Amino acid sequence: MTFTTPIRDMRFILDHAAGFGALEQSGAYPELSEDLTAAILEEMGKFCDGVVAPLNETSDHNGAALENGVVRTSPGFKEAYKQYVEAGWSSLAFPEEAGGQGLPSTLAVALVDALNGACMSFAIGTTLTTGAVKAILPAATDEQKALYLEKMVSGEWTGTMNLTEPQAGSDLSAIRTKAEPVGDGRYKISGQKIFITYGDHDMTDNIVHLVLARLPDAPAGTAGISMFIVPKIHVKEDGALGERNDVQCIKLEEKMGLHGSPTCVMSYGDKGECYGTLLGEENKGLKNMFVMMNAARLDVGMQGVGVAERAYQRALAYAQDRKQGRGAGVKSGEMVAIYEHPDVRRMLYSMKALVEASRAVCYANAVAYDLARHAPDEKTRAEAKAMEELLTPISKAWSTDRANDVTSLGVQVHGGMGYVEETGAAQHMRDARIAAIYEGTNGIQAMDLVGRKLQGDGGAAAKKFIAEIKNEAKVLKAAKREELHHVGERLLAAADALHASTDWLLEKAQENPEHALAGATPYLKQFGNVAGGYYLSKAAIAAALEIHENRDPAYHETKIAMARFFADNYLTEAIGLTDAIMAGAGGVARLDPDLLSA
Amino acid sequence: MTFTTPIRDMRFILDHAAGFGALEQSGAYPELSEDLTAAILEEMGKFCDGVVAPLNETSDHNGAALENGVVRTSPGFKEAYKQYVEAGWSSLAFPEEAGGQGLPSTLAVALVDALNGACMSFAIGTTLTTGAVKAILPAATDEQKALYLEKMVSGEWTGTMNLTEPQAGSDLSAIRTKAEPVGDGRYKISGQKIFITYGDHDMTDNIVHLVLARLPDAPAGTAGISMFIVPKIHVKEDGALGERNDVQCIKLEEKMGLHGSPTCVMSYGDKGECYGTLLGEENKGLKNMFVMMNAARLDVGMQGVGVAERAYQRALAYAQDRKQGRGAGVKSGEMVAIYEHPDVRRMLYSMKALVEASRAVCYANAVAYDLARHAPDEKTRAEAKAMEELLTPISKAWSTDRANDVTSLGVQVHGGMGYVEETGAAQHMRDARIAAIYEGTNGIQAMDLVGRKLQGDGGAAAKKFIAEIKNEAKVLKAAKREELHHVGERLLAAADALHASTDWLLEKAQENPEHALAGATPYLKQFGNVAGGYYLSKAAIAAALEIHENRDPAYHETKIAMARFFADNYLTEAIGLTDAIMAGAGGVARLDPDLLSA
């Protein structure tokens, strides 16, 4: 088995760190029950482990390829995708009126976790589609819904997001793709898009592209961008497939990793015959995009968690198998498994603690996402919405940065074998590396955190969360168990540091916005470390209760050990970031770049 | 130009951080002068920038290949290597009596820096050869010297180190390759070695393998390992090449990066006709290895610095070229170069500060290496030797860990383009990744630091160095310039933390060696951050003096800015590592691995 969905750990974090129990009990999902959740996780595990995970290695060596103008996916992808659709995984969390199953998005997010652990390059195609559905749902006309929605919800057709152009990456204001109305409600689309994930493939009969473009005479900048639905194959009124639209993949990028995921250069209207329809209002294309953005960013955070989990499992297995050296002071006798060496365990515990902490942050974010939309009372919805907004950039950036750390440690645990491609450890590192970049680079996430999120509400949501963390720290400090007390002390100190940074940023950003921009990245890291430590602390308290009740104490002891490891290594790191944050604009004051290059 | 040897920065660090001036003035190298150093650095730059750097990208796409039992190197390597030999770069720092130029190793180390910036996969072949020479020099018989030495010193023939076998990686005690005396002074060698860098290639007429193997009835473990000289082509007494020896490359590893460097599986004695001669004493093979180890480890640290420098140069150029977004609060107008965004500058300054700090650590290590061997008085030699021993694991591990950070940041600065192979940013990250692994993994370096180095002299060398750092911090604190004072405060706090960790480790390791092993990795990082901050602080003081004298103040201001950036971001990080170190054995106490995997 190359990967095993960590169902037990996922469930433990859902229940004891992320507050999934509160969701189950909120009445937001009347049909939800512990048993149903268990059944879904189990089926998810079977599908991911048995069907998807075996594709991962092949997809690296034998990735997507452009052949005669058509993208051929990696061997096995088409068949696995068919099973994914047939089992109903795509529609899990969509509303029943749209053909979905009406379950919490949190479970769909857990699915994203498991799918990415199984095979990141397969998984990303599925989340692009669910993201596109989220953009279409609130904005589409009834006719558009009739034509596209059901088949996208089911996954029978996939969706794409076409944002980037060579001159318009992080800054979409520079988009040049054109859309001209032809008078019958349709628009002629022309232009080139790059970095389009699953822009073409052979897994489904049709692909529905969401394309950002400019109408004639649209205002300059982001206020003049509209979104269009552009199908690969035109759909007739009766739902039957019609003619091929004038859109095609003209190049696949050669990437560092994620070879199974086709990254397409898409050309629209080469023959002047590419037609689409407007989604939502004219010039409000970014609004549609932002509707799906929070969910999409959380999905990317989850990619980081998934691939990190896989890297961890592989490294742990290798460390138990590989024999080198002996214990401290032992000169002869059999070599021991490298797991027995403290420094190797340090690497593995770092991987495990970071995987669990980032999973907990993302799951808590998912629970907030669900409560924000489905909690019965408005106050809960509003509070959850604020929490969702706050956590989203952290889930995205912190989890993917940590995935880079974890997958690199995975290579290191393997020693020289990690650098050789045949072990697969290197693939995880290469695959993971994109997640910190796309769907808004992690720098953009950090600026979103200190800007829109922190300054947007004057720090209210952040301070409420920090107060909650401090309360939890005090609970831990009062515990009789020495480890819990110890974790509580470190959590309190780290939360105090985060509190001070937060106040500093809020105050200084008033003077000069560059103060906040300069410290954004270390602030996001500090916040992520504290949040991760908080959720692991909650898990540790729950574990202590389980131990007290004598329910599988050995397993639950590992949860306390991970909270402690995280506290000693990452909560203390958080405190050290304060100086980097408070150095402010002066800390990265502009120097003449010509003097910085010899 | 894809790479420019940073001659000015190299010289600045040599003179103002690493103490090269002390070496020039020590009398150890009577012919050495400022002008000679300048001339050598300039020629070095011309060769590396003009001849070697253009090979780098091709070597990634069109790497070494095994064709009909022979390794063909990447296009251009053979010609560049010929120029390298003809220009005398190989012999720079070897003694004149061995055919060398008798210059300081520090200059050879600067060459390693520049060569690795130009093309890491080309450079490593050259350092393997100089490493082999260092192992041969003190141990070889006159006959062996006559046969091999001159041609290896000149680089006309290359050398290899054959240590690793599948079951013997970090733990060489498990070596199984056999050597049987045939009675005429020769030994029959049989066995397989893996991960042999430049084990075969087409750049030279001959290759001299140094092979670790066991004599019949040799004691078990490391006490039974001998070293043998095994030429690819036998050399006749008159120096002419004779018959092919029975040794060959039977496989090249497919690696994550460094494709230009052939990583060979070497088979010795397939036909029972592989002959070599004993180098040094029977069963003392590891002693020979350790002779070259310090230098080899420093060379690997330098690889990290070189490839990080290249990644930095590329990222800086991209950030000046790529336009996205506008300044804080600016809504319209032209897009600006991303260098203008504080968060992008944070990434670039991180890269620059880490490159300069790691370069300074390695150069200081090189100066200590030279003084330890060539200082006129014994006291200086002894003190320098202690410093060389202490700094070596830090140079190797800290510089290569930082190279992983820097090259990953280089990808991030490029955004999506960084993940696409055509920009080359990804290659630097993939290439750099090996340096933390080979020549003793960074975990092994950390254990060497807390074990042989720290406990070996009861902490004497470390404490002397820490006292020196504290003195420097006090000088900075007393400075009138606010930035210098600020850096001094942070340096002192970090040095205090390092002092406390050092005392803790020395004390606790007595109780239980696992305390030291458990904290070794964070301790090495703490030490590296403090040492890096120290050398940049020295550079900042020197820069302030230059500014005072009105010598190119703009350039020297960047040195003060880098010291400040390092202090705010990495000296403070050092303090946070104390808890991870002092968590001790309990912090990584053994957990049942089966409970750590779902």
Side-chain angles (χ1 to χ4, degrees):
Chain A
M1 192 71 84
T2 56
F3 171 76
T4 306
T5 300
I7 294 173
R8 187 177 191 180
D9 284 348
M10 289 164 69
R11 186 67 195 254
F12 188 83
I13 286 173
L14 279 173
D15 291 345
H16 300 300
F20 190 69
L23 193 69
E24 283 178 327
Q25 288 147 30
S26 69
Y29 299 91
E31 285 168 31
L32 193 63
S33 69
E34 282 195 28
D35 288 351
L36 180 61
T37 300
I40 290 171
L41 290 176
E42 187 154 332
E43 284 305 311
M44 193 183 285
K46 279 187 201 160
F47 175 70
C48 291
D49 303 357
V51 178
V52 183
L55 307 176
N56 192 59
E57 204 177 324
T58 314
S59 74
D60 189 47
H61 301 130
N62 199 347
L66 183 60
E67 292 171 351
N68 305 319
V70 179
V71 174
R72 176 192 53 65
T73 52
S74 183
F77 272 36
K78 189 174 178 171
E79 296 73 18
Y81 188 77
K82 190 159 177 275
Q83 290 190 51
Y84 166 85
V85 173
E86 284 172 357
W89 290 117
S90 182
S91 65
L92 201 67
F94 288 120
E96 292 178 56
E97 60 271 25
Q101 299 170 55
L103 286 162
S105 286
T106 303
L107 291 177
V109 162
L111 173 64
V112 174
D113 184 355
L115 279 172
N116 277 286
C119 180
M120 188 173 165
S121 62
F122 176 83
I124 188 175
T126 69
T127 49
L128 257 296
T129 303
T130 53
V133 170
K134 282 174 193 134
I136 291 175
L137 260 176
T141 62
D142 286 343
E143 196 188 340
Q144 287 172 324
K145 285 185 184 170
L147 287 176
Y148 304 111
L149 204 57
E150 193 186 326
K151 297 214 164 164
M152 292 180 75
V153 166
S154 69
E156 200 175 332
W157 297 345
T158 62
T160 71
M161 285 301 297
N162 287 246
L163 283 56
T164 307
E165 299 174 12
Q167 78 293 347
S170 295
D171 185 351
L172 295 175
S173 70
I175 280 177
R176 290 185 196 144
T177 295
K178 286 186 208 160
E180 290 183 72
V182 291
D184 59 357
R186 296 182 305 155
Y187 294 77
K188 223 176 221 188
I189 311 291
S190 59
Q192 221 175 76
K193 294 285 181 178
I194 62 170
F195 296 158
I196 309 308
T197 301
Y198 277 87
D200 193 36
H201 62 80
D202 57 5
M203 303 192 306
T204 59
D205 294 337
N206 203 1
I207 301 171
V208 181
H209 303 294
L210 299 186
V211 181
L212 293 183
R214 284 186 190 284
L215 293 167
D217 308 318
T222 53
I225 296 173
S226 307
M227 187 179 276
F228 297 86
I229 297 183
V230 184
K232 175 180 175 180
I233 315 278
H234 288 297
V235 184
K236 296 180 189 165
E237 271 178 43
D238 64 356
L241 291 177
E243 287 179 12
R244 186 81 158 72
N245 205 351
D246 178 18
V247 46
Q248 54 197 324
C249 170
I250 56 172
K251 186 191 162 195
L252 287 187
E253 303 290 352
E254 188 199 333
K255 307 189 300 296
M256 185 180 187
L258 218 63
H259 298 157
S261 165
T263 302
C264 303
V265 177
M266 298 299 293
S267 189
Y268 290 87
D270 273 358
K271 301 170 196 145
E273 295 290 333
C274 178
Y275 296 98
T277 54
L278 180 71
L279 178 64
E281 295 174 62
E282 290 187 359
N283 300 326
K284 303 281 186 191
L286 291 197
K287 193 182 133 199
N288 296 351
M289 200 186 75
F290 278 113
V291 167
M292 56 154 280
M293 196 64 104
N294 275 355
R297 289 180 169 179
L298 175 54
D299 281 346
V300 174
M302 220 63 251
Q303 291 185 339
V305 176
V307 68
E309 168 75 37
R310 188 183 179 108
Y312 164 69
Q313 288 187 15
R314 184 181 293 264
L316 181 65
Y318 185 81
Q320 290 174 263
D321 186 53
R322 172 71 173 168
K323 290 183 175 55
Q324 285 289 278
R326 294 167 188 83
V330 180
K331 295 284 180 203
S332 61
E334 291 292 302
M335 296 200 292
V336 300
I338 61 171
Y339 182 80
E340 304 305 324
H341 300 308
D343 188 65
V344 174
R345 285 204 301 274
R346 164 175 295 285
M347 291 191 272
L348 291 164
Y349 292 3
S350 294
M351 297 173 80
K352 176 76 170 167
L354 291 173
V355 166
E356 297 223 325
S358 54
R359 174 173 288 137
V361 169
C362 290
Y363 282 11
N365 188 342
V367 168
Y369 180 96
D370 279 326
L371 285 174
R373 284 156 184 78
H374 297 283
D377 66 294
E378 197 180 320
K379 182 164 174 288
T380 306
R381 286 199 299 274
E383 285 177 358
K385 183 70 191 162
M387 193 65 182
E388 178 207 341
E389 294 283 339
L390 182 70
L391 283 181
T392 297
I394 300 169
S395 297
K396 195 280 179 181
W398 193 77
S399 300
T400 57
D401 280 340
R402 299 298 73 76
N404 286 335
D405 296 342
V406 170
T407 54
S408 184
L409 281 168
V411 170
Q412 194 70 21
V413 168
H414 284 76
M417 289 308 292
Y419 199 62
V420 171
E421 290 287 0
E422 72 188 55
T423 48
Q427 183 195 344
H428 302 327
M429 183 175 163
R430 290 187 289 97
D431 286 354
R433 188 64 189 82
I434 186 57
I437 295 171
Y438 58 21
E439 205 58 47
T441 65
N442 285 3
I444 299 236
Q445 304 302 323
M447 286 183 261
D448 177 55
L449 177 65
V450 298
R452 218 172 279 130
K453 305 302 167 65
L454 191 62
Q455 295 172 60
D457 69 356
K463 287 186 181 177
K464 184 164 172 287
F465 186 40
I466 293 167
E468 183 184 317
I469 295 170
K470 286 188 186 180
N471 281 337
E472 189 77 13
K474 286 167 194 160
V475 171
L476 283 150
K477 278 186 71 177
K480 280 188 198 145
R481 259 192 85 145
E482 170 55 26
E483 297 100 316
L484 296 179
H485 173 78
H486 179 84
V487 170
E489 278 190 328
R490 269 147 183 64
L491 181 60
L492 191 58
D496 282 339
L498 178 62
H499 197 157
S501 306
T502 303
D503 283 340
W504 190 94
L505 281 173
L506 285 164
E507 188 194 327
K508 291 289 173 174
Q510 303 279 344
E511 288 173 25
N512 176 0
E514 292 232 336
H515 283 311
L517 297 174
T521 289
Y523 180 71
L524 186 145
K525 186 173 188 184
Q526 188 178 57
F527 213 135
N529 282 21
V530 174
Y534 164 62
Y535 291 117
L536 292 194
S537 298
K538 288 180 77 157
I541 290 183
L545 286 173
E546 297 291 311
I547 293 164
H548 186 74
E549 303 288 333
N550 205 25
R551 284 194 288 262
D552 202 348
Y555 173 74
H556 291 105
E557 284 292 347
T558 68
K559 299 300 172 195
I560 295 176
M562 285 305 115
R564 181 187 164 184
F565 186 87
F566 192 94
D568 283 335
N569 290 275
Y570 301 107
L571 284 174
T572 51
E573 182 190 40
I575 297 169
L577 292 164
T578 300
D579 280 347
I581 299 163
M582 295 193 188
V588 291
R590 188 182 192 285
L591 300 166
D592 179 353
D594 290 338
L595 297 171
L596 291 176
S597 179
Chain B
M1 192 71 86
T2 57
F3 170 76
T4 306
T5 300
I7 295 173
R8 186 176 191 177
D9 284 348
M10 288 163 69
R11 186 68 196 254
F12 188 83
I13 286 172
L14 278 174
D15 289 345
H16 300 301
F20 191 68
L23 193 68
E24 282 177 328
Q25 287 147 31
S26 69
Y29 300 92
E31 287 167 31
L32 192 63
S33 69
E34 282 196 26
D35 289 349
L36 180 62
T37 300
I40 290 171
L41 290 176
E42 187 153 333
E43 284 306 310
M44 193 183 282
K46 279 185 199 161
F47 175 70
C48 290
D49 304 356
V51 178
V52 183
L55 307 176
N56 192 59
E57 204 178 322
T58 314
S59 74
D60 189 48
H61 300 131
N62 200 346
L66 183 61
E67 292 171 352
N68 304 321
V70 179
V71 174
R72 175 192 54 67
T73 52
S74 183
F77 272 38
K78 188 172 179 173
E79 295 73 18
Y81 188 77
K82 190 159 175 276
Q83 289 191 52
Y84 166 86
V85 173
E86 283 171 1
W89 291 117
S90 180
S91 65
L92 202 66
F94 289 118
E96 293 178 57
E97 60 271 25
Q101 299 171 56
L103 286 163
S105 286
T106 303
L107 291 178
V109 162
L111 173 66
V112 174
D113 184 355
L115 279 171
N116 278 286
C119 181
M120 188 174 164
S121 62
F122 177 83
I124 189 175
T126 69
T127 48
L128 258 295
T129 303
T130 54
V133 170
K134 282 174 192 133
I136 291 175
L137 261 176
T141 62
D142 288 343
E143 194 187 342
Q144 286 172 325
K145 285 184 185 171
L147 286 176
Y148 304 111
L149 203 58
E150 194 186 323
K151 298 215 164 167
M152 291 180 76
V153 166
S154 70
E156 200 176 331
W157 296 347
T158 62
T160 70
M161 286 300 299
N162 287 247
L163 282 57
T164 306
E165 299 174 13
Q167 77 293 347
S170 296
D171 185 351
L172 294 175
S173 70
I175 280 177
R176 290 183 196 146
T177 295
K178 287 186 206 160
E180 290 182 74
V182 290
D184 59 359
R186 295 182 307 155
Y187 294 77
K188 224 176 218 188
I189 311 291
S190 59
Q192 221 175 75
K193 294 285 181 178
I194 62 170
F195 297 157
I196 308 309
T197 300
Y198 277 87
D200 194 35
H201 62 80
D202 57 5
M203 304 191 307
T204 59
D205 294 337
N206 203 1
I207 301 171
V208 180
H209 304 293
L210 299 186
V211 182
L212 294 183
R214 285 187 190 283
L215 293 166
D217 308 320
T222 53
I225 297 172
S226 307
M227 188 179 277
F228 297 86
I229 297 182
V230 185
K232 175 180 174 180
I233 315 279
H234 288 296
V235 184
K236 296 180 188 164
E237 271 179 44
D238 63 357
L241 290 177
E243 288 181 12
R244 185 83 160 72
N245 204 352
D246 177 19
V247 45
Q248 55 197 324
C249 169
I250 56 171
K251 186 190 162 196
L252 286 187
E253 303 290 351
E254 188 199 334
K255 308 190 297 298
M256 185 181 187
L258 219 64
H259 299 156
S261 165
T263 302
C264 303
V265 176
M266 299 298 295
S267 189
Y268 290 87
D270 273 357
K271 302 169 196 145
E273 295 292 335
C274 179
Y275 296 98
T277 55
L278 180 70
L279 178 64
E281 296 174 62
E282 290 187 358
N283 300 327
K284 303 280 186 193
L286 291 196
K287 191 180 136 201
N288 296 350
M289 198 185 76
F290 278 113
V291 168
M292 56 154 280
M293 195 65 102
N294 274 355
R297 290 180 168 177
L298 175 54
D299 282 345
V300 174
M302 220 63 251
Q303 292 185 338
V305 176
V307 68
E309 168 74 39
R310 189 183 178 108
Y312 164 70
Q313 288 187 16
R314 184 181 293 263
L316 180 65
Y318 184 81
Q320 291 173 261
D321 186 54
R322 171 73 173 167
K323 291 183 176 54
Q324 285 288 279
R326 293 167 190 83
V330 180
K331 294 285 181 203
S332 61
E334 291 292 301
M335 296 199 293
V336 299
I338 61 171
Y339 182 80
E340 304 305 325
H341 300 307
D343 187 66
V344 173
R345 284 204 301 276
R346 164 175 295 285
M347 291 191 272
L348 291 164
Y349 293 1
S350 295
M351 297 173 80
K352 176 76 170 166
L354 292 173
V355 166
E356 297 223 326
S358 54
R359 175 173 289 137
V361 169
C362 289
Y363 283 11
N365 188 340
V367 168
Y369 180 96
D370 278 326
L371 285 174
R373 285 155 184 79
H374 296 283
D377 66 295
E378 196 179 320
K379 181 162 175 287
T380 307
R381 287 200 298 273
E383 285 178 359
K385 183 70 192 162
M387 192 66 182
E388 177 208 341
E389 294 281 341
L390 181 70
L391 283 180
T392 296
I394 300 169
S395 297
K396 196 280 178 180
W398 192 78
S399 300
T400 57
D401 281 339
R402 299 296 75 75
N404 285 334
D405 296 342
V406 169
T407 54
S408 183
L409 280 168
V411 170
Q412 194 71 22
V413 169
H414 284 77
M417 290 307 293
Y419 198 62
V420 172
E421 290 287 0
E422 72 187 55
T423 49
Q427 184 195 344
H428 302 326
M429 183 175 162
R430 290 187 288 99
D431 285 354
R433 189 63 189 84
I434 187 58
I437 296 171
Y438 57 22
E439 204 59 47
T441 66
N442 285 3
I444 300 249
Q445 303 301 322
M447 286 184 260
D448 177 55
L449 177 65
V450 299
R452 218 172 278 130
K453 304 303 166 64
L454 191 63
Q455 295 173 60
D457 68 357
K463 286 186 182 177
K464 184 163 172 290
F465 186 41
I466 293 168
E468 183 183 318
I469 294 170
K470 287 188 186 180
N471 281 337
E472 189 77 11
K474 285 169 194 157
V475 171
L476 283 151
K477 277 185 74 177
K480 280 189 198 145
R481 260 192 84 147
E482 171 54 26
E483 296 98 318
L484 296 180
H485 173 78
H486 179 85
V487 170
E489 277 190 329
R490 269 148 185 62
L491 182 60
L492 191 59
D496 282 339
L498 178 62
H499 196 156
S501 306
T502 303
D503 283 341
W504 189 92
L505 281 174
L506 286 164
E507 188 194 326
K508 291 289 173 174
Q510 304 279 345
E511 288 173 23
N512 175 0
E514 291 233 338
H515 283 310
L517 297 174
T521 289
Y523 179 71
L524 186 145
K525 185 174 189 184
Q526 187 178 57
F527 214 135
N529 282 22
V530 173
Y534 164 63
Y535 291 117
L536 292 194
S537 299
K538 289 181 77 157
I541 289 182
L545 287 174
E546 298 290 312
I547 293 164
H548 186 73
E549 303 287 334
N550 205 26
R551 284 194 288 263
D552 202 349
Y555 173 74
H556 291 105
E557 285 292 348
T558 68
K559 299 301 173 195
I560 295 177
M562 285 305 117
R564 181 188 162 182
F565 185 88
F566 192 94
D568 283 335
N569 289 275
Y570 301 107
L571 283 175
T572 51
E573 182 189 39
I575 297 169
L577 292 164
T578 301
D579 280 345
I581 299 162
M582 295 193 187
V588 291
R590 188 184 193 284
L591 300 165
D592 180 350
D594 291 338
L595 297 172
L596 292 177
S597 180

